[in-house]
Amino acid sequence: MFRMQTKILPGRPYPLGATWDGFGVNFAIYSELGEQVELCLFNSYDAPETERLRLPERTTYVWHGYIKGLQPGQLYGYRVHGPYEPE
């Protein structure tokens, strides 16, 4: 199901979102109560994830990581681990 493990670097906490810099993509997401955040990569909208990577760094409440070589158009999502108390 998963391809070979991609190397994820620390990246930067800003700007939020997925930002391509011409060489790779920086991912940054705000989560005040998150205990861990995973980045999920997909090859198509209707396929299972191809890779799940733990964002390696947290600055204040922003989780972040950087992947060299990733291109614009990469499909991704996040899994945020932590307390779930919608009340």
Side-chain angles (χ1 to χ4, degrees):
M1 175 177 169
F2 295 115
R3 62 183 173 203
M4 194 162 101
Q5 184 72 18
T6 298
K7 182 174 182 178
I8 188 162
L9 302 170
R12 297 187 304 173
Y14 59 88
L16 292 177
T19 306
W20 186 62
D21 64 4
F23 301 100
V25 178
N26 188 75
F27 294 91
I29 181 171
Y30 179 91
S31 178
E32 189 170 339
L33 299 177
E35 296 171 354
Q36 177 181 322
V37 177
E38 295 174 314
L39 173 68
C40 303
L41 302 178
F42 300 86
N43 286 335
S44 68
Y45 291 104
D46 57 353
E49 64 193 356
T50 56
E51 195 157 9
R52 190 182 304 170
L53 305 160
R54 185 181 62 79
L55 290 181
E57 297 292 324
R58 183 176 76 180
T59 302
T60 313
Y61 298 123
V62 178
W63 294 83
H64 49 93
Y66 180 86
I67 302 175
K68 285 184 183 178
L70 213 59
Q71 297 291 312
Q74 171 67 55
L75 300 175
Y76 71 94
Y78 295 105
R79 288 182 181 269
V80 179
H81 301 266
Y84 178 70
E85 300 171 1
E87 302 83 37

